[in-house]
Amino acid sequence: MAISHFQPLILLLLVSLFVLPALSVSFGNCRSRNEYPVNVATVNISPYPVKRSTNGNFTITGNTSKDIPDGATVKLELSTFVPISEKTYPLCDVTTCPVKTGPFVITLSNVFTPKEIKSGGYAVTVSITDEDVREPMMCVVFACKIKRGYASLLSQVTE
């Protein structure tokens, strides 16, 4: 059900992998009509593009109009045209808790498994959900390109 709403957005994000300007990451709310209490200001990917010889880190900054409870979780989903993987982090593992009204920073480090880092890129969805509420407090989607590095090209030639 929900996947059908995301398919055009995922396709757009995958196409944009090849036209995104270096060092900047375009992002949007998961559902354009939703206003979330947590408003995202920037999404940074480091390094950008992610190199196969390293791993990727995502930093999301923004502002929240309400406190985010300690029991909240941050969910990271990777997809191409279909969902690939999903990771869930306790909020306090990725930011300083408690998160009070005002500015915030979420840092997701080394997000890719060795198998995932071999892909050319993903549509990435990051959301914050309070355990007592069905709707997410934040949901942002962006593209992440994985660049083939010299070491990975060399290993493919010698195999």
Side-chain angles (χ1 to χ4, degrees):
M1 292 185 298
I3 297 296
S4 65
H5 295 290
F6 291 114
Q7 284 177 343
L9 184 57
I10 289 171
L11 179 60
L12 177 64
L13 285 171
L14 289 173
V15 169
S16 71
L17 282 172
F18 302 102
V19 295
L20 287 175
L23 303 176
S24 68
V25 178
S26 297
F27 65 92
N29 283 341
C30 296
R31 294 191 180 137
S32 60
R33 295 180 189 167
N34 281 13
E35 287 193 30
Y36 300 103
V38 178
N39 184 33
V40 175
T42 64
V43 174
N44 292 312
I45 301 173
S46 174
Y48 186 81
V50 175
K51 296 175 186 150
R52 289 185 181 187
S53 60
T54 62
N55 205 317
N57 303 304
F58 301 152
T59 303
I60 299 170
T61 62
N63 200 342
T64 178
S65 61
K66 67 184 253 187
D67 293 352
I68 306 173
D70 291 350
T73 56
V74 176
K75 183 167 61 170
L76 174 110
E77 297 175 65
L78 302 175
S79 56
T80 52
F81 292 104
V82 296
I84 302 297
S85 71
E86 182 179 299
K87 299 163 182 87
T88 303
Y89 307 88
L91 177 70
C92 296
D93 286 357
V94 297
T95 192
T96 304
C97 285
V99 178
K100 298 291 185 190
T101 301
F104 74 94
V105 177
I106 294 172
T107 304
L108 302 168
S109 300
N110 298 314
V111 298
F112 299 106
T113 64
K115 183 178 179 182
E116 293 164 349
I117 201 87
K118 293 178 183 179
S119 173
Y122 294 99
V124 180
T125 304
V126 179
S127 60
I128 298 176
T129 307
D130 180 1
E131 61 191 350
D132 298 330
V133 181
R134 240 180 98 183
E135 289 294 315
M137 298 179 76
M138 177 199 90
C139 188
V140 64
V141 62
F142 55 95
C144 179
K145 184 176 181 179
I146 298 175
K147 183 178 179 182
R148 194 178 287 250
Y150 176 74
S152 70
L153 283 174
L154 184 60
S155 68
Q156 286 182 352
V157 170
T158 58
E159 288 178 357

